[in-house]
Amino acid sequence: MPELSIKLTTANLSRLSAEVQTPAYDRRELIPHTIHIGVGGFHRAHQALYLDDLLAMKDTERWGECGLGVLKSDDRMRDVLASQDHLYTLVERSADTQSARVIGSLVDYIYAPEAREAAIEKMSAVETRIVSLTITEGGYFIDEGTGGFLVNHPAIQHDLQNPTEPKSSIGLIAEALDRRRVRGLAPFTVMSCDNLQGNGHVISKVLSAYASLSNPALEAWITANVAFPNSMVDRITPATTPADIEWVGSRFGIDDAWPVVTEPFLQWVIEDTFSNGRPQWERVGAQFTTDVASYEIMKMRLLNGSHLAMAYLGALAGYTYVQDIMADPLFVTFIERFMEEVTPVVPIIPNTSISGYKKSLIERFSNPTINDQVTRICSEGSAKIPKWLLPSIQELLDRDLSVDLLSLVVASWIFYFGEGVDQSGKPLDIVDVRADELTRIAQPAGTNPLPMLAVQSIFGERLFANETFRQKTAEALRMLSNEGVTATIKRYLAP
Ligand code: CS2
């Protein structure tokens, strides 16, 4: 850290360089009406920023946020935020922009593993009006194959047996809602901001399933009173690296232990369904609509799907960052063609140009300063593939349309587990809660994809039974194994 950088705290805000935007409001006036579970880079680059923008408008409610960590590893976020008065730096970066601002909308943080009761009471407090979530796909305990609730998961079993001492987000929310019910308080809105299709429906379904097993009166109360808005959230936000921390210090003079570096692009499309009020996010760019589903599908199939398309092939080819993949013309053509293959199952949205969206994605992926890690986009594929790739494949198959490139992507994911090393023999850094299980299935199977495709909790029954899909995946897997990544992509792109 350069000697001149200034430790980020409330007292030091006025000492920061004039080019750094700081909260234009008195943070002491904020009431944390929102409790956010899963304060990571994404939340801090997205929802907390919308609120910060809104708070800068003087004629709005003084609505603040309290973070809530439920994972053991969240102790680091708690400590960092506590040491900087819950302030953090958000940097937007591209080839043409570099701007830093300090966000002030987050005013408190609770670390549930060591303060379970405090976490539940905070959510049960009268002032709490929204509980929002970015807990990633895995946090919802959904069986990808059947769409059902993973009731036998040890974390859920623990919570069902100890409902007043829950560990999972689901158990914590259920207990807090139950206390509100018993105390005659209005419920809070449960707002998922995760990348799941129908994220509001998903969290609603999971909570109801949980409550039906533990507390039928609560289930009925939730159904009658709690709102679960669906939303589409979009901003590419890589994990913060030590180099980012160093750079924020040298470039902007801020000593911030955990800044966020993100792209200039930002989008939030949300349903206006709230049970206990909400900030006026529409004043700062959020789009309210009754048709979130179309936006979600467009984004997941094109943006997140393309990420998966480049992730495993890119990792096998030895790339570290997304921008390096996008500097390879072969991959750019591959991604463009992948998006073309998916387009027939992308909904038409009034006033939205799909071709414009696809063009902007190529630009966003190519952002040369973003340093989005290939390991990040590869991570937790066992949860992402069923949401961002397989629905496109099923719908295209149903319409007798091509799934050639999509099958190659599935094959690349299988090959990634089977090989365990990239083209140069370097071990792959595989991050997936199911990594051991999947490696054990993929490795002995070699070029036979069937054992992996038979994992029903990922592929379900219907897709597994599809002969075309099986054959296409087998063909791609054989080619990857015999000819390597580059030659395979070339063959798939050949006219
Ligand atoms: C990415 C997303 O996790 C992933 O693999 O595709 O995090 C993506 O960057 C965001 O959804 C962009 O909004």
Side-chain angles (χ1 to χ4, degrees):
M1 195 62 55
E3 275 175 41
L4 288 178
S5 70
I6 294 167
K7 167 89 185 147
L8 181 58
T9 60
T10 308
N12 285 342
L13 282 177
S14 59
R15 296 176 55 213
L16 297 180
S17 144
E19 73 170 314
V20 176
Q21 186 185 323
T22 53
Y25 49 90
D26 186 347
R27 296 176 70 229
R28 289 166 306 186
E29 290 174 2
L30 305 190
I31 301 172
H33 292 307
T34 297
I35 311 285
H36 185 80
I37 309 183
V39 177
F42 182 71
H43 175 74
R44 297 190 298 151
H46 195 266
Q47 191 184 328
L49 162 71
Y50 279 93
L51 201 51
D52 189 71
D53 274 339
L54 187 59
L55 288 164
M57 297 180 168
K58 299 284 176 246
D59 57 339
T60 55
E61 207 170 346
R62 300 294 86 194
W63 189 304
E65 284 190 357
C66 169
L68 181 59
V70 299
L71 304 176
K72 258 203 145 32
S73 54
D74 286 330
D75 55 350
R76 213 184 119 220
M77 186 59 83
R78 171 198 60 190
D79 295 344
V80 165
L81 288 174
S83 76
Q84 356 191 113
D85 299 325
H86 302 96
L87 295 165
Y88 64 91
T89 316
L90 178 65
V91 176
E92 290 180 8
R93 204 173 176 194
S94 71
D96 340 293
T97 19
Q98 279 187 2
S99 63
R101 59 190 277 184
V102 174
I103 305 290
S105 47
L106 192 67
V107 290
D108 199 1
Y109 190 92
I110 298 177
Y111 177 64
E114 284 172 12
R116 210 162 303 287
E117 185 55 26
I120 299 168
E121 275 307 310
K122 186 82 179 169
M123 287 193 278
S124 315
V126 186
E127 67 191 28
T128 298
R129 299 168 68 179
I130 295 179
V131 171
S132 53
L133 313 154
T134 43
I135 53 176
T136 75
E137 298 74 23
Y140 292 83
F141 301 98
I142 292 282
D143 180 307
E144 303 303 342
T146 63
F149 179 46
L150 287 173
V151 63
N152 291 324
H153 191 286
I156 295 299
Q157 279 300 318
H158 168 276
D159 290 1
L160 285 170
Q161 278 149 32
N162 308 275
T164 58
E165 287 170 19
K167 287 185 176 164
S168 72
S169 306
I170 308 301
L172 286 162
I173 293 174
E175 175 62 13
L177 283 172
D178 198 45
R179 291 191 191 179
R180 297 183 83 97
R181 176 184 76 86
V182 171
R183 293 173 195 172
L185 295 176
F188 47 73
T189 298
V190 181
M191 181 174 82
S192 165
C193 290
D194 279 295
N195 256 313
L196 312 165
Q197 191 174 328
N199 51 13
H201 298 318
V202 172
I203 180 67
S204 147
K205 190 170 126 182
V206 165
L207 257 186
S208 289
Y210 177 90
S212 73
L213 295 166
S214 59
N215 186 341
L218 174 63
E219 187 201 1
W221 190 78
I222 290 177
T223 309
N225 298 291
V226 180
F228 299 91
N230 289 297
S231 63
M232 180 269 242
V233 291
D234 191 6
R235 189 165 224 193
I236 295 175
T237 310
T240 307
T241 62
D244 293 329
I245 297 175
E246 189 86 16
W247 180 74
V248 167
S250 57
R251 170 68 184 76
F252 296 103
I254 311 174
D255 172 4
D256 181 336
W258 204 338
V260 188
V261 180
T262 190
E263 61 171 348
F265 184 92
L266 174 71
Q267 193 178 17
W268 193 7
V269 183
I270 181 161
E271 224 170 33
D272 200 357
T273 322
F274 288 78
S275 22
N276 201 348
R278 64 164 175 83
Q280 296 170 298
W281 293 304
E282 67 275 29
R283 295 182 65 187
V284 286
Q287 296 162 254
F288 280 90
T289 174
T290 47
D291 181 25
V292 173
S294 299
Y295 289 89
E296 282 178 335
I297 297 175
M298 173 185 75
K299 189 228 163 184
M300 281 185 260
R301 294 189 179 177
L302 292 174
L303 188 159
N304 301 113
S306 297
H307 263 164
L308 292 173
M310 70 177 85
Y312 306 104
L313 290 167
L316 288 160
Y319 288 120
T320 306
Y321 294 112
V322 171
Q323 71 242 35
D324 303 337
I325 297 181
M326 297 302 287
D328 180 340
L330 184 68
F331 268 89
V332 175
T333 310
F334 173 67
I335 296 302
E336 284 169 346
R337 293 274 296 277
F338 169 87
M339 290 200 271
E340 266 172 48
E341 190 171 280
V342 171
T343 300
V345 290
V346 172
I348 293 167
I349 305 175
N351 303 319
T352 301
S353 149
I354 298 294
S355 60
Y357 185 70
K358 292 193 280 196
K359 218 170 130 242
S360 80
L361 288 181
I362 296 288
E363 268 168 38
R364 291 171 64 194
F365 295 149
S366 308
N367 180 342
T369 62
I370 189 85
N371 299 332
D372 197 7
Q373 303 90 354
V374 174
T375 42
R376 181 186 84 87
I377 58 169
C378 285
S379 70
E380 307 306 337
S382 60
K384 293 171 178 177
I385 284 189
K387 297 195 176 69
W388 301 341
L389 212 59
L390 304 184
S392 302
I393 297 181
Q394 186 65 63
E395 281 182 39
L396 287 164
L397 286 169
D398 288 346
R399 291 169 56 182
D400 274 333
L401 294 168
S402 166
V403 293
D404 290 1
L405 299 182
L406 283 148
S407 307
L408 168 59
V409 177
V410 172
S412 73
W413 176 73
I414 297 175
F415 193 57
Y416 166 89
F417 280 105
E419 289 286 290
V421 292
D422 71 13
Q423 277 185 163
S424 68
K426 198 168 141 232
L428 293 163
D429 181 10
I430 300 183
V431 181
D432 196 305
V433 282
R434 299 181 70 174
D436 290 345
E437 170 202 354
L438 295 170
T439 304
R440 271 199 306 274
I441 300 174
Q443 268 181 3
T447 56
N448 175 10
L450 291 185
M452 284 289 264
L453 299 184
V455 178
Q456 288 210 352
S457 57
I458 295 177
F459 289 93
E461 274 173 50
R462 189 150 167 252
L463 202 51
F464 175 61
N466 188 293
E467 205 44 54
T468 311
F469 174 59
R470 288 180 177 210
Q471 271 171 18
K472 298 261 175 206
T473 311
E475 211 175 287
L477 188 55
R478 264 197 312 275
M479 205 183 290
L480 281 171
S481 167
N482 294 339
E483 302 184 24
V485 171
T486 310
T488 302
I489 299 181
K490 278 191 183 144
R491 290 252 295 222
Y492 272 79
L493 297 182

